[in-house]
Amino acid sequence: MITLMFLSFIAYIVLQIVCFKTLSGMFRKAAWISAMIGAAIIIYTLAAFLMQINLWPLLLLFSGPLLLFYVILLLVLRRLFD
């Protein structure tokens, strides 16, 4: 289960790049929101890891599926409204 949660964050990063290449207009602006949240989570995770906090991957694990769902939703909505 934990591996799947890590993989969802990796899939989110890949789909985020796809969003930046394919989306335009308001959908690209919405993709930037998720990119900023993802960047903040990565920075926090790296800082927690470097400070040797034992729960460092927790935020990354729980936010990965949510961010992935958001990016997939953006891509689906673009298909519906374009």
Side-chain angles (χ1 to χ4, degrees), residues 1-34:
M1 183 69 170
I2 292 176
T3 305
L4 187 60
M5 293 172 89
F6 268 121
L7 290 176
S8 70
F9 197 84
I10 294 171
Y12 154 72
I13 292 173
V14 170
L15 281 181
Q16 186 69 49
I17 293 168
V18 169
C19 279
F20 284 137
K21 290 185 177 187
T22 60
L23 297 179
S24 62
M26 69 176 187
F27 291 110
R28 182 173 274 184
K29 289 178 185 177
W32 272 106
I33 293 170
S34 118

Side-chain angles (χ1 to χ4, degrees), residues 6-80:
F6 268 121
L7 290 176
S8 70
F9 197 84
I10 294 171
Y12 154 72
I13 292 173
V14 170
L15 281 181
Q16 186 69 49
I17 293 168
V18 169
C19 279
F20 284 137
K21 290 185 177 187
T22 60
L23 297 179
S24 62
M26 69 176 187
F27 291 110
R28 182 173 274 184
K29 289 178 185 177
W32 272 106
I33 293 170
S34 118
M36 293 299 174
I37 293 170
I41 290 169
I42 290 172
I43 290 169
Y44 168 78
T45 302
L46 289 174
F49 176 74
L50 292 175
M51 291 189 294
Q52 298 178 349
I53 297 173
N54 62 346
L55 297 176
W56 64 270
L58 204 57
L59 187 60
L60 184 79
L61 287 173
F62 290 130
S63 66
L66 296 173
L67 289 170
L68 181 63
F69 175 73
Y70 180 80
V71 171
I72 291 172
L73 185 65
L74 277 179
L75 291 171
V76 169
L77 287 175
R78 183 189 63 107
R79 289 283 181 188
L80 291 175

